[in-house]
Amino acid sequence: QVQLVESGGGLVQPGGSLRLSCAASESIVGIYVMGWYRQAPGKQRELVASITNGGSTNYADSVKGRFTISRNNAKNTVYLQMSSLKPEDTAVYYCKLALKVDYWGQGTQVTVSS
């Protein structure tokens, strides 16, 4: 069973940047999608960005131009570079690996506040 571990969250001021990492416990082969989701208090979990095994990316409208998803296959790691952060980006961020089944990480808190 694949395990995903997120890191990189924290407290940042509005306009600041953070980079989240999601490390998989083993190499991922075949057709897959890895995504970053977030869930703010009282709100549903939503897709932030995703990347396929072929390298295609997708972003929520609210983060286009500010967030970038990327991967390092040698390190079995997917990243989410977040820039120009806003208070409304505050949430717990989760990574998900979609294979034949879905695997989720434990989440990392991102707080954007002055």
Side-chain angles (χ1 to χ4, degrees):
Q1 181 164 341
V2 179
Q3 294 184 333
L4 303 175
V5 179
E6 301 103 332
S7 61
L11 173 64
V12 63
Q13 292 186 342
S17 298
L18 280 176
R19 188 178 79 157
L20 306 182
S21 299
C22 174
S25 58
E26 58 189 74
S27 296
I28 309 301
V29 296
I31 299 173
Y32 67 85
V33 180
M34 287 201 74
W36 284 98
Y37 290 72
R38 66 187 180 187
Q39 187 166 19
K43 294 187 177 182
Q44 289 189 331
R45 192 171 296 188
E46 62 175 357
L47 175 66
V48 176
S50 65
I51 186 166
T52 70
N53 57 292
S56 297
T57 58
N58 181 52
Y59 296 92
D61 288 343
S62 60
V63 306
K64 282 181 180 177
R66 300 189 298 123
F67 291 9
T68 301
I69 189 170
S70 63
R71 63 184 181 185
N72 183 326
N73 290 333
K75 295 184 177 181
N76 303 325
T77 301
V78 173
Y79 304 97
L80 185 68
Q81 178 68 47
M82 305 185 294
S83 303
S84 302
L85 283 161
K86 305 175 181 180
E88 51 263 43
D89 294 317
T90 295
V92 178
Y93 283 70
Y94 300 88
C95 68
K96 186 184 89 168
L97 169 63
L99 289 170
K100 292 183 178 180
V101 296
D102 291 343
Y103 300 92
W104 289 90
Q106 82 288 353
T108 185
Q109 176 71 47
V110 172
T111 303
V112 185
S113 175
S114 56

